[in-house]
Amino acid sequence: AQAPLPLAAGEPRSVENLYAFLHAADGAGMLRLTGDVVSWVRTYNRGGAGSFGQDLAAVAPGEGWAAGETLVFPFARPADTTREFRSNLLLVNLDTATITVTMRAGGIEKTKTVDPGTYAQIDNLGTFLGAPVGFGAVRLWATGRWFGVMSTVDPFTGDPTTVRGLPPAAGRERLYAGVAKVTGTNQTVWRSEATFHNPGDAPAQVRLELIPRGAGSVAARPTLTRAVGEPRRVAALYPTLQV
């Protein structure tokens, strides 16, 4: 299915139901968008109390990651999918031939083939890998140009979080604006969680510094040590920062 969407200069347009707009039968698939516009796409579920969902990461055919380029993703392997987080992995083949994606978590290695111009989804990646229950990290690379994104799903609400892969990094400073432990509306409390993974060949230290909103000085500065290949999830960041 396909449809044109004419836009006047400077015009914004929201399409609430893409499948209805495209006059397509119900299902799941991949949207190809061509044109001189900027765009954002969200897949969501609507219930009586509102909606929940996630943004979809866009990639151009010539972008993504080259053959052999390694990305690292955190994932969750539940003992009980009705009570614990799970992670689904989506793989896109941007090459003109079938590719093989290799996934390695600790001493476990699995592969997945993806046909050209298509995508494949692995539901509950931890179970597919046979990884231990809990939170872990997986390294991915492919035999051709590819792209991937992870969804980690809340077991109670079904709300998915988009998790993007990162290259192994050493010594870089990164800023995450918006961490919080603060009361929200409708009897809610905002919290921040974090996942760390050491992809190197030696133990590594990571220093965490909290800079309060509107301030320029550091309020807390703990240090964590990670063993080789060790993942760690911090479910409540502020107590770890001793704030």
Side-chain angles (χ1 to χ4, degrees), residues 89-182:
L89 175 65
L90 187 148
L91 300 169
V92 183
N93 183 349
L94 300 175
D95 215 316
T96 57
T98 298
I99 64 171
T100 299
V101 180
T102 300
M103 295 158 270
R104 181 179 295 165
I108 302 169
E109 186 170 298
K110 289 286 186 72
T111 61
K112 177 72 174 179
T113 58
V114 186
D115 291 332
T118 69
Y119 75 93
Q121 180 167 311
I122 301 175
D123 293 330
N124 200 342
L125 176 68
T127 298
F128 172 82
L129 293 172
V133 170
F135 286 82
V138 59
R139 299 168 72 106
L140 278 77
W141 63 93
T143 56
R145 184 163 292 279
W146 67 289
F147 180 72
V149 69
M150 191 89 72
S151 296
T152 293
V153 185
D154 185 294
F156 298 103
T157 65
D159 194 19
T161 297
T162 302
V163 183
R164 292 165 174 81
L166 298 174
R172 291 194 297 111
E173 179 180 289
R174 282 139 288 178
L175 299 172
Y176 297 90
V179 296
K181 182 183 178 185
V182 64

Side-chain angles (χ1 to χ4, degrees), residues 7 29 101 118 157 160 193-194 209 240:
L7 296 172
V101 180
T118 69
T157 65
E193 66 179 22
E209 296 179 321
T240 299

Side-chain angles (χ1 to χ4, degrees), residues 45-52:
N45 199 338
R46 186 181 297 280
S51 69
F52 58 85

